[in-house]
Amino acid sequence: MIAPALPTSCDGSAGAPPADESITAWALAARGGDPRAVEDFVHALHRDVRRYVAHLCSDPQAVDDLAQDTFLRALGSLHRFEGRSSARTWLLAIARRAVIDSHRYAATRPRPADVPDWPLAVERAQPRHLPGFDDGVALLDLLASLPDERREAFLLTQVCGLAYTEAAEMSDCPVGTVRSRVARARATLVDLLTEPDGSAAAT
C-alpha cells in the first residue's frame, strides 16, 4: 500500500541513499500518475541499475542503452506493480531480463565490426588516468573470474544492497543457496587478492 505521505523528494543532495520504503512509495505514486514521483523513482535507482547491468553484460558500450531499456520497461509496467516486493528488487529483476534479452538478440544478430582490430579500438575508447579507474578495472576483472551464479549473488547483495531474501527471489533459489554463493564468491575474491601472481582459481 502507498504511504499516507510521500517521502522527501530525491534531489541528489548529500546524505544516505533513499530507503527501500521510500523508493517503493515513489513507485506506487508514479503508478498513480504523479510525475514528480516518477522522477524521484528513476533518480533513486538509476545508479544501481547501471552498476548491475554493467556487471551482467559483456559490452561496456551497451550499459546506458540497457539502463534506459530497463526504465522504459518498468515505467510501462508500473500499473502492474503492487508493492508486494520492494521497488528496487522489482526493477533489478527487470534489468536482469533486459540483459538476458539483449544477449539473446546479439546471438541471433551478429554485427561485423567497422574496424579490423575492434578489441583495440574498444580499449582505446575507455577512459584512462581517472581517480580509481585502475582499481575499478581490477575489480571488474576479479568479478569476471567468478562463476555466473556466484557473481550475480555477490552483485545483488554486496553491490546493489539487496537482502538475501530478495536476491533469492530474483535468482529463484533458496536463501541458503544465495548465502553459500556469496560466501564462496568472497572467499575466491580474497584468494585472488592475496595471491602474489593473481593465479587463484574460482573454484
Side-chain angles (χ1 to χ4, degrees):
M1 294 178 62
I2 190 168
L6 286 175
T8 303
S9 293
C10 182
D11 59 4
S13 57
D20 280 351
E21 293 80 4
S22 296
I23 295 171
T24 299
W26 285 325
L28 290 168
R31 184 189 68 176
D34 184 338
R36 183 55 189 269
V38 173
E39 181 182 339
D40 289 334
F41 170 67
V42 172
H43 181 82
L45 291 177
H46 187 261
R47 182 180 179 183
D48 282 351
V49 169
R50 287 193 81 259
R51 183 183 297 170
Y52 185 49
V53 299
H55 286 297
L56 288 184
C57 77
S58 57
D59 181 5
Q61 308 303 316
V63 170
D64 286 331
D65 288 341
L66 286 168
Q68 182 179 17
D69 183 32
T70 296
F71 282 106
L72 288 174
R73 293 184 185 205
L75 294 177
S77 302
L78 268 177
H79 62 283
R80 294 196 295 269
F81 178 67
E82 298 180 354
R84 291 193 177 96
S85 63
S86 74
R88 187 191 304 271
T89 301
W90 176 73
L91 186 63
L92 291 179
I94 293 175
R96 187 173 186 259
R97 288 195 295 271
V99 173
I100 291 172
D101 290 346
S102 174
H103 283 313
R104 288 174 177 167
Y105 178 81
T108 59
R109 295 288 300 273
R111 292 174 293 179
D114 295 330
V115 293
D117 192 355
W118 64 267
L120 180 60
V122 170
E123 182 178 351
R124 287 176 175 172
Q126 302 306 309
R128 291 292 189 274
H129 309 300
L130 297 177
F133 176 81
D134 291 338
D135 290 341
V137 171
L139 176 60
L140 288 175
D141 288 342
L142 291 176
L143 289 173
S145 70
L146 297 173
D148 291 345
E149 292 178 342
R150 294 180 195 171
R151 180 172 65 251
E152 182 178 27
F154 185 87
L155 288 171
L156 289 172
T157 59
Q158 310 305 305
V159 178
C160 295
L162 292 189
Y164 283 94
T165 52
E166 294 174 317
E169 179 183 338
M170 281 189 60
S171 304
D172 193 25
C173 66
V175 175
T177 300
V178 172
R179 292 186 184 278
S180 175
R181 289 173 180 173
V182 172
R184 289 173 179 268
R186 281 177 173 165
T188 298
L189 291 174
V190 169
D191 287 343
L192 289 169
L193 287 169
T194 55
E195 281 289 323
D197 59 356
S199 60
T203 56

